[in-house]
Amino acid sequence: MKKINKLFLKKKSMPLDSFLDKVLYDRDFGYYQKKNPFGEKGDFITAPNISNLFGEMITIWLVSFWEKLRKPKKINFIEMGPGNGDLCLSILQTLKNFPQVYKSVNIILYERSETLKKIQKKRINTQKVKWIKNLKLIKDGPVIFFGNEFLDALPIKQFKKVNGKLFEKYVEINKKNNVNFFFRKSIKKPIAKLKNFEAIKNNIIIEYPEHGFKELNEVCKKIRQLNGGALFIDYGYIKEHNFDTLQSVKKHKFNDILQNVSEADITSLVNFNLYKEYFNMKNLCVDKIISQSEFLQKLGIMERYKILCNKLDNNEKSNLYGRIRRLIHPKMMGENFKVIFAKNKKCSFTIDLN
Ligand SMILES: C[S@@+](CC[C@H](N)C(=O)[O-])C[C@H]1O[C@@H](n2cnc3c(N)ncnc32)[C@H](O)[C@@H]1O
């Protein structure tokens, strides 16, 4: 096992995003490479872990998109960061009710963590699903990309503006192997990039997912070349948000970011308007960003609940209701989570199925 000082190699410090990349994804040391963080026994619970109905609704959305694309004989559905595979299992199960779509769709999983990939391969055992190391290998379309809590897991850079000058957040290690944050005056290159985005231009604290944008560049390229779109659901904000959103979670509780390094998850809130501008710059169209609550209700989650209730006893009904409430209640995940849909300019399908 690598010790934290090994991550720094011979350097004494590194920018925040390089640090996050290492503590989350380093092959020996990274949080996501070492453990299965999902569920009650893990560190956090995501929507696909809460209820199968989340995956059912994503499947309904996928089926409607496929219909709007005039029922292509082949379509690639690519899940970005599939975690423990819960969503993929729900989709496979639900698609059995739509045999024509089931026949047409190839499900491709794109996962960076070798440990999670092993878990996925153990749980998902069908020819329908393939794993891919590089998005460049996708040759056929149309393509539909999907990611739940994928964007928040991408490392960010952080900057602070003081008297009009930009300073970038770094992490340093001292002789006792303790890590600390500090700010260093920014070099010219990132400053030029940041000025391109209205969503952060006037912020005092600026968060910028440089790694994520590089990754999404390939997603955008495939959508432009092969037709289709990308749907991302995540916690984040639309209105201007001028503070540090980095957070760490361990065993379902907030954790100091520099404590339990590589034993706790570290994420940031997604700046949805920034992603919208990014997708627009890449020549894609972005629909209105909506809340998870609105999205799941438009797809019919309550109607599905009512149908299922006919077969459930009272305890089961209240259990299922509790889970749906967690997904759609405005004070729970309903409003904190937002949905963004970027698509090929020729595509007339909309986020709310019109
Ligand atoms: C917070 S988890 C969400 C998992 C799952 N989507 C869910 O909702 O339960 C983030 C996932 O994205 C994966 N991931 C993060 N960065 C990635 C990247 N650059 N490429 C592929 N997978 C990545 C992680 O390993 C993990 O599976």
Side-chain angles (χ1 to χ4, degrees):
M1 176 74 63
K2 276 190 191 172
K3 290 262 164 46
I4 191 158
N5 55 340
K6 297 254 167 66
L7 287 184
F8 281 78
L9 300 170
K10 292 206 166 108
K11 292 181 206 143
K12 291 205 173 81
S13 68
M14 61 178 110
L16 176 66
D17 56 343
S18 307
F19 175 76
L20 293 174
D21 199 59
K22 287 179 192 257
V23 297
L24 295 173
Y25 303 109
D26 178 84
R27 277 186 92 95
D28 303 324
F29 189 83
Y31 172 77
Y32 279 100
Q33 306 284 12
K34 289 198 301 196
K35 62 194 260 183
N36 181 354
F38 305 94
E40 303 286 350
K41 289 190 185 145
D43 291 324
F44 55 84
I45 293 178
T46 63
N49 315 144
I50 292 174
S51 170
N52 210 24
L53 286 198
F54 182 81
E56 281 196 17
M57 294 305 114
I58 300 301
T59 315
I60 302 297
W61 184 86
L62 163 65
V63 170
S64 315
F65 198 173
W66 174 84
E67 279 171 356
K68 192 77 178 184
L69 289 166
R70 302 214 183 108
K71 306 185 177 178
K73 283 214 170 69
K74 284 281 162 231
I75 187 163
N76 283 320
F77 176 83
I78 305 105
E79 190 185 350
M80 313 278 289
N84 69 357
D86 271 355
L87 181 90
C88 181
L89 287 168
S90 298
I91 291 180
L92 283 167
Q93 185 60 33
T94 315
L95 274 182
K96 295 206 170 129
N97 300 315
F98 302 92
Q100 224 189 324
V101 192
Y102 187 84
K103 209 171 150 211
S104 307
V105 75
N106 291 314
I107 300 184
I108 298 172
L109 301 185
Y110 182 65
E111 172 58 63
R112 188 167 176 195
S113 152
E114 292 305 320
T115 305
L116 290 179
K117 215 185 275 179
K118 272 190 204 139
I119 293 172
Q120 292 154 17
K121 287 190 173 169
K122 210 166 159 192
R123 297 185 74 206
I124 305 162
N125 187 9
T126 154
Q127 288 296 315
K128 256 288 132 227
V129 180
K130 301 260 180 317
W131 281 258
I132 202 167
K133 278 202 169 133
N134 189 334
L135 298 174
K136 287 196 171 99
L137 298 171
I138 301 170
K139 300 286 179 218
D140 310 313
V143 282
I144 302 181
F145 291 88
F146 176 75
N148 186 63
E149 292 206 34
F150 173 74
L151 302 179
D152 72 68
L154 299 170
I156 52 161
K157 279 187 172 298
Q158 208 182 70
F159 301 89
K160 184 168 76 173
K161 216 181 272 168
V162 182
N163 298 332
K165 293 200 175 95
L166 269 189
F167 293 81
E168 179 168 359
K169 192 180 254 183
Y170 274 67
V171 183
E172 64 182 351
I173 187 159
N174 66 19
K175 284 187 184 140
K176 289 185 181 157
N177 280 350
N178 291 324
V179 281
N180 295 303
F181 290 129
F182 76 103
F183 280 89
R184 176 178 284 170
K185 193 152 178 258
S186 286
I187 48 164
K188 273 184 189 148
K189 227 169 118 204
I191 302 177
K193 273 189 218 156
L194 301 180
K195 281 189 179 153
N196 292 337
F197 295 96
E198 285 296 323
I200 49 174
K201 208 162 110 183
N202 298 320
N203 282 17
I204 302 294
I205 303 281
I206 296 170
E207 296 187 328
Y208 184 74
E210 191 169 55
H211 283 238
F213 283 173
K214 275 190 196 140
E215 192 98 53
L216 289 179
N217 186 37
E218 201 54 45
V219 169
C220 297
K221 224 189 232 174
K222 293 293 164 196
I223 295 173
R224 284 193 310 268
Q225 286 168 354
L226 303 168
N227 199 12
L231 184 80
F232 291 100
I233 304 185
D234 226 304
Y235 48 93
Y237 54 96
I238 299 176
K239 288 189 187 135
E240 202 171 295
H241 200 88
N242 219 340
F243 44 86
D244 178 349
T245 74
L246 213 57
Q247 61 184 42
S248 171
V249 168
K250 184 173 164 57
K251 294 270 169 235
H252 306 275
K253 290 196 176 115
F254 285 113
N255 169 69
D256 185 301
I257 290 160
L258 296 180
Q259 296 296 318
N260 301 305
V261 171
S262 98
E263 298 293 333
D265 192 21
I266 308 180
T267 59
S268 56
L269 297 189
V270 173
N271 181 344
F272 278 90
N273 277 329
L274 180 64
Y275 276 95
K276 181 176 178 178
E277 279 185 64
Y278 171 80
F279 287 127
N280 286 152
M281 260 175 211
K282 294 287 162 185
N283 231 352
L284 300 184
C285 238
V286 179
D287 283 354
K288 184 173 173 264
I289 297 158
I290 61 175
S291 69
Q292 174 168 296
S293 183
E294 183 180 349
F295 181 68
L296 293 178
Q297 291 190 71
K298 285 232 160 95
L299 286 161
I301 197 164
M302 288 318 291
E303 289 74 8
R304 182 73 181 127
Y305 165 71
K306 282 176 199 148
I307 293 169
L308 287 173
C309 277
N310 294 327
K311 292 187 208 148
L312 302 178
D313 66 28
N314 282 345
N315 278 346
E316 289 167 332
K317 268 186 225 169
S318 94
N319 180 306
L320 183 59
Y321 182 75
R323 288 168 186 274
I324 295 177
R325 189 167 177 269
R326 195 163 163 189
L327 293 174
I328 65 173
H329 192 282
K331 294 213 166 119
M332 299 167 104
M333 291 170 86
E335 289 296 324
N336 294 332
F337 278 68
K338 315 259 186 295
V339 191
I340 185 166
F341 175 45
K343 61 192 174 188
N344 186 298
K345 283 196 162 159
K346 289 188 299 202
C347 175
S348 58
F349 185 60
T350 61
I351 194 165
D352 50 5
L353 310 189
N354 290 316

